[in-house]
Amino acid sequence: MPWLSAGSLQSLLNPSSPNGLPEDLIAAFLRHVLEALVYLHREGIPHMGIKPGNILIDSNGVAKLADLCFNSSVYESRRRDPGPSPPFAMEVSGTPYWISPEVLKSPTEFPTKSDIWSFAIVAMELAYGRCPVSEIPNSGYLKFRIAKRFQFSDHCRTPPAPEIRCQEMSGEFKNMVGLCLDEDPSKRPSPEQLLLHPFFKKSKGSDFVLGFLKSLPESENPAIAG
């Protein structure tokens, strides 16, 4: 396997960009994630673990999806036995911030469109430096809140610290995320459709991404700075 020397998107958010990443950088990283989802979903495989810590960056500034053990085991089980899905391997009560409402309600189902919900939560986390509703304790109340449509104004109204302010995102970004957070999974766009969304016209090439990574202090990204 290749060595992904730049770490994960989570490592870029904390501590180097606690208030979020620039929008054109977010577009570049998310485009790479969508390209991975195009391949997975065409094979009928849901990732089921999309979050910044599972999006790794190589030395060329390309973001790649990691942590494929769960979905590959589901895929192999389905090939051998197309019957009922195997038990849900991820503990829903653990870190449900990125999990879609339909998976919270039925944790033995594996719809590929649940990845699109998680993708939108990651987009908001990259934009604002924190996961939506992450200030709420991980409890039944959180599961209630995460099953509702997110409002950008609600997300920015109570930042975790007075010095943290939400950056203003473009209308294209908000529209793209809103499409992905439809409570009806069938109405969410596919990865192919999202790649055509106007937001991804902001996406820049690997030289731009590498320039950003190399601009970070060595203590925050020693693999790139070196």
Side-chain angles (χ1 to χ4, degrees):
M1 295 179 66
W3 169 242
L4 302 181
S5 59
S8 69
L9 290 187
Q10 184 61 52
S11 67
L12 287 184
L13 288 175
N14 185 20
S16 60
S17 301
N19 295 341
L21 299 173
E23 190 163 320
D24 44 7
L25 188 67
I26 294 172
F29 287 139
L30 292 184
R31 173 177 285 277
H32 298 159
V33 174
L34 286 175
E35 289 169 351
L37 287 179
V38 166
Y39 173 77
L40 286 175
H41 289 187
R42 282 179 179 173
E43 296 295 319
I45 305 174
H47 186 277
M48 301 299 293
I50 297 176
K51 57 183 178 180
N54 286 340
I55 302 171
L56 307 181
I57 310 162
D58 67 14
S59 58
N60 295 317
V62 176
K64 300 186 178 184
L65 273 177
D67 196 15
L68 301 175
C69 295
F70 169 66
N71 62 51
S72 62
S73 66
V74 170
Y75 177 66
E76 290 300 322
S77 297
R78 283 180 167 175
R79 286 208 308 172
R80 294 191 299 268
D81 179 11
S85 300
F88 190 33
M90 182 164 53
E91 187 65 43
V92 173
S93 62
T95 54
Y97 302 108
W98 301 273
I99 301 176
S100 66
E102 63 270 18
V103 173
L104 285 173
K105 295 173 183 177
S106 182
T108 58
E109 297 297 324
F110 305 92
T112 54
K113 285 295 184 73
S114 65
D115 285 339
I116 301 302
W117 176 283
S118 303
F119 173 85
I121 300 301
V122 168
M124 293 182 71
E125 188 171 4
L126 296 180
Y128 301 123
R130 62 193 178 99
C131 195
V133 302
S134 59
E135 72 279 2
I136 301 175
N138 188 2
S139 63
Y141 179 60
L142 170 61
K143 294 179 182 180
F144 171 79
R145 278 290 301 274
I146 206 168
K148 303 298 182 182
R149 283 291 293 270
F150 289 117
Q151 299 293 327
F152 287 92
S153 58
D154 290 343
H155 180 58
C156 289
R157 185 174 296 136
T158 56
E163 65 273 12
I164 295 181
R165 294 290 182 268
C166 288
Q167 62 177 321
E168 180 59 35
M169 304 302 291
S170 68
E172 291 88 354
F173 175 86
K174 295 179 180 181
N175 177 264
M176 183 272 293
V177 171
L179 292 173
C180 297
L181 293 180
D182 197 302
E183 291 184 49
D184 183 347
S186 67
K187 294 181 181 179
R188 296 174 201 156
S190 67
E192 292 92 338
Q193 291 171 325
L194 282 171
L195 283 170
L196 299 176
H197 192 279
F199 171 71
F200 290 102
K201 293 181 179 179
K202 301 175 183 290
S203 176
K204 297 184 178 180
S206 58
D207 289 344
F208 171 78
V209 176
L210 286 175
F212 174 84
L213 295 175
K214 290 178 179 178
S215 71
L216 298 175
E218 184 173 352
S219 60
E220 296 178 6
N221 204 336
I224 289 295

